[in-house]
């Protein structure tokens, strides 16, 4: 009974903090959570979601960071990547990581909001403007054409892909390899090899799963 009451009190405190945090959430945190929420929405429309049904188990932090990296890479107009929001990634052994987004996801508030999204609960994002929302949707909905001229269902494939394959896919990019192997700080520069890395990713995705 005591443990149950403690849990109830803890949930109440978290909900209060979330409500307060939503009032003061930064633009970066808002945009990041909006992107993650769209990942979840896409996943819910796949056969994997119907079979597994556990979003939290499917979306580990490592997987979210890899998806977020590919999201920034496939941002055709660089509207998110070059807006001083999330252009900076660091090469970790398990692939690229945006440290600011990762730390927010690990925080009590960030994790609580993410858990609520996984339960398909409504999470208010007061700083998300219609313009930014449209940019996010355009990045996730814009068709990608492979070398064979066929359209690739990029985000269905990426979101369904097991995390170990996502990590390996990120390791194929020149941006990650050069930063991890040759930079003492492991700072990544996505822009330098963007066209080459994008072609490589699309080529691999065109042969993965159902396209």
């Amino acid at each position: 009974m005591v443990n149950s009451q403690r849990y109830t009190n803890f949930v109440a405190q978290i909900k209060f903090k979330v409500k307060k945090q939503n009032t003061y959430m930064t633009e970066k945190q808002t945009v990041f959570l909006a992107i993650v929420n769209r990942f979840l929405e896409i996943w819910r429309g796949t056969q994997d979601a119907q079979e597994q049904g556990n979003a939290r188990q499917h979306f580990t932090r490592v997987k979210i960071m890899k998806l977020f990296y590919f999201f920034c890479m496939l941002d055709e107009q660089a509207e998110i990547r070059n807006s001083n929001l999330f252009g900076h990634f660091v090469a970790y052994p398990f692939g690229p990581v945006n440290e600011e987004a990762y730390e927010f996801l690990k925080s009590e508030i960030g994790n609580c909001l993410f858990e609520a999204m996984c339960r398909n609960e409504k999470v208010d994002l007061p700083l998300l403007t219609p313009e930014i929302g449209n940019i996010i949707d355009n990045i996730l909905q814009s068709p990608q054409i492979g070398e064979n001229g066929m359209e690739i269902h990029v985000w269905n494939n990426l979101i369904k892909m097991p995390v170990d394959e996502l990590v390996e896919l990120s390791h194929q990019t020149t941006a990650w390899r050069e930063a991890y192997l040759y930079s003492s700080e492991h700072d990544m520069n996505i822009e330098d090899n963007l066209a080459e890395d994008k072609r490589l990713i699309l080529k691999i995705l065109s042969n993965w799963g159902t396209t």
Side-chain angles (χ1 to χ4, degrees), residues 162-185:
V163 65
D164 58 333
E165 293 186 38
L166 276 176
V167 169
E168 179 58 30
L169 186 61
S170 73
H171 285 178
Q172 300 298 312
T173 62
T174 303
W176 179 85
R177 291 200 313 272
E178 289 190 349
Y180 189 73
L181 296 175
Y182 306 117
S183 169
S184 59
E185 300 296 328

Side-chain angles (χ1 to χ4, degrees), residues 38 61 107 132 144:
R38 288 292 287 116
R61 290 174 189 150
S107 70
I132 292 294
Q144 299 288 342

Side-chain angles (χ1 to χ4, degrees), residues 125-176:
L125 301 174
L127 294 183
L128 184 66
T129 65
E131 180 183 7
I132 292 294
N134 289 335
I135 290 171
I136 293 170
D137 288 340
N138 287 339
I139 295 170
L140 294 173
Q141 294 171 5
S142 295
Q144 299 288 342
I145 306 301
E147 292 181 341
N148 58 3
M150 299 293 290
E151 183 176 338
I152 304 170
H153 299 284
V154 170
W155 289 102
N156 277 359
N157 284 354
L158 284 173
I159 285 171
K160 290 190 298 183
M161 191 174 286
V163 65
D164 58 333
E165 293 186 38
L166 276 176
V167 169
E168 179 58 30
L169 186 61
S170 73
H171 285 178
Q172 300 298 312
T173 62
T174 303
W176 179 85

Side-chain angles (χ1 to χ4, degrees), residues 83-146:
S83 61
N84 294 321
L85 288 175
F86 291 110
H88 182 248
F89 284 82
V90 177
Y92 277 68
F94 289 100
V97 171
N98 183 285
E99 292 180 325
E100 188 170 0
Y102 185 76
E103 289 303 317
F104 174 65
L105 192 61
K106 281 174 52 181
S107 70
E108 184 179 43
I109 295 299
N111 183 65
C112 186
L113 290 168
F114 172 59
E115 295 278 357
M117 288 177 169
C118 286
R119 295 191 297 269
N120 206 14
E121 296 177 5
K122 179 176 174 55
V123 173
D124 293 327
L125 301 174
L127 294 183
L128 184 66
T129 65
E131 180 183 7
I132 292 294
N134 289 335
I135 290 171
I136 293 170
D137 288 340
N138 287 339
I139 295 170
L140 294 173
Q141 294 171 5
S142 295
Q144 299 288 342
I145 306 301

Side-chain angles (χ1 to χ4, degrees), residues 54-70:
N54 189 332
R56 185 62 187 87
Q57 184 176 354
H58 185 78
F59 283 87
T60 63
R61 290 174 189 150
V62 172
K63 178 158 189 165
I64 290 172
M65 283 295 105
K66 302 300 95 63
L67 291 174
F68 187 50
Y69 170 60
F70 292 123

Side-chain angles (χ1 to χ4, degrees), residues 13-70:
Q13 291 171 7
I14 288 295
K15 286 184 176 179
F16 173 77
K17 289 179 180 179
V18 168
K19 184 177 181 181
K20 183 177 179 181
Q21 179 71 4
N22 276 342
T23 306
Y24 302 104
M25 191 179 298
T26 68
E27 183 181 11
K28 286 187 178 183
Q29 292 167 348
T30 299
V31 172
F32 175 67
L33 283 178
I35 293 168
V36 172
N37 198 39
R38 288 292 287 116
F39 291 158
L40 287 163
E41 290 174 357
I42 293 171
W43 179 76
R44 290 190 183 101
T46 67
Q47 185 66 31
D48 285 6
Q50 297 171 23
E51 293 174 355
Q52 299 172 14
N54 189 332
R56 185 62 187 87
Q57 184 176 354
H58 185 78
F59 283 87
T60 63
R61 290 174 189 150
V62 172
K63 178 158 189 165
I64 290 172
M65 283 295 105
K66 302 300 95 63
L67 291 174
F68 187 50
Y69 170 60
F70 292 123

